[in-house]
């Protein structure tokens, strides 16, 4: 699938050796789908040419990049905006504890694709957009491999156009 992403214009720096996710990250996201974990081992960077759409990498999740935009930026933005509202902050944390952001876009509006890790929707892919990142989440497809196939099609009439 890395080749398919290259074919639609993504710039890829492939991973040369295995890298582990940090214990802190795995403590929060202990049930990542196997296909997604395998995908993470294949690259260090995947971004579009304008560098405004990218897949979060192991280095992002481990806090080892110098990017000004952290892998959990949308969660942090919500928590900051609603810092005085404990109930809303708890709901934001609960959402992100069950949804790992995998593909980010700042091409126009802030948007993300995530994997749902909740027992009832495990592995399904959702899409969200600012300003209500959590409340805007909507179903995209059943699993990560299906998402990669959809992205590799060169369709221009769906929400995934913002992720190319």
């Amino acid at each position: 699938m890395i080749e398919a992403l290259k074919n639609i214009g993504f710039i890829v720096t492939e991973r040369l050796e295995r890298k582990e996710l940090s214990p802190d990250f795995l403590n929060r996201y202990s049930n990542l789908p196997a296909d997604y974990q395998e995908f993470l081992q294949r690259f260090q960077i995947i971004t579009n040419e304008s560098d405004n759409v990218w897949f979060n990498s192991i280095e992002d999740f481990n806090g080892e990049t110098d990017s000004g935009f952290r892998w959990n930026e949308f969660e942090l933005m919500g928590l900051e905006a609603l810092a005085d509202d404990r109930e809303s902050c708890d709901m934001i944390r609960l959402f992100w504890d069950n949804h790992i952001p995998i593909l980010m876009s700042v091409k126009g509006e802030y948007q993300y694709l995530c994997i749902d890790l909740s027992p009832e929707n495990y592995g399904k892919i959702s899409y969200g957009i600012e300003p209500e990142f959590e409340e805007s989440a909507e179903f995209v497809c059943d699993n990560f491999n299906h998402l990669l196939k959809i992205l590799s099609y060169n369709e221009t009439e769906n929400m995934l156009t913002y992720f190319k």
Side-chain angles (χ1 to χ4, degrees):
M1 277 293 146
I2 295 279
E3 286 304 313
L5 293 172
K6 287 180 184 178
N7 290 340
I8 61 166
F10 278 99
I11 299 165
V12 178
T13 303
E14 294 189 41
R15 184 172 303 289
L16 300 177
E17 56 188 53
R18 186 164 183 77
K19 184 163 182 81
E20 300 303 321
L21 289 160
S22 73
D24 286 342
F25 182 83
L26 288 174
N27 186 47
R28 184 174 191 187
Y29 297 108
S30 60
N31 62 336
L32 294 175
D35 56 354
Y36 182 62
Q37 289 185 60
E38 289 171 28
F39 177 76
L40 286 172
Q41 290 299 331
R42 307 249 351 256
F43 74 95
Q44 287 182 295
I45 298 169
I46 299 178
T47 185
N48 69 347
E49 192 173 298
S50 301
D51 201 26
N52 57 9
V53 175
W54 66 94
F55 280 88
N56 281 321
S57 68
I58 291 173
E59 288 78 6
D60 292 315
F61 293 137
N62 288 351
E64 299 169 352
T65 64
D66 58 2
S67 171
F69 208 92
R70 296 162 289 192
W71 68 270
N72 60 342
E73 193 71 35
F74 300 147
E75 174 185 16
L76 298 174
M77 290 167 69
L79 292 172
E80 182 180 326
L82 298 167
D84 295 335
D85 183 344
R86 183 178 179 169
E87 186 177 325
S88 291
C89 286
D90 288 346
M91 289 174 57
I92 290 169
R93 281 187 201 91
L94 180 62
F95 177 87
W96 291 111
D97 283 347
N98 287 292
H99 296 83
I100 180 167
I102 58 171
L103 184 55
M104 313 285 270
S105 175
V106 295
K107 183 180 182 178
E109 298 169 299
Y110 289 177
Q111 303 169 72
Y112 67 87
L113 293 174
C114 66
I115 300 174
D116 191 327
L117 301 174
S118 67
E120 59 276 1
N121 292 307
Y122 184 78
K124 293 183 178 182
I125 306 299
S126 293
Y127 160 84
I129 188 168
E130 68 175 323
E132 304 283 335
F133 294 110
E134 301 80 20
E135 290 179 21
S136 67
E138 63 181 85
F139 173 80
V140 173
C141 62
D142 285 324
N143 59 56
F144 182 70
N145 282 329
H146 188 208
L147 172 67
L148 292 178
K149 287 177 187 167
I150 294 169
L151 282 172
S152 67
Y153 303 143
N154 216 1
E155 292 182 25
T156 57
E157 295 301 320
N158 64 36
M159 71 178 77
L160 297 183
T161 1
Y162 294 101
F163 295 96
K164 296 181 183 181

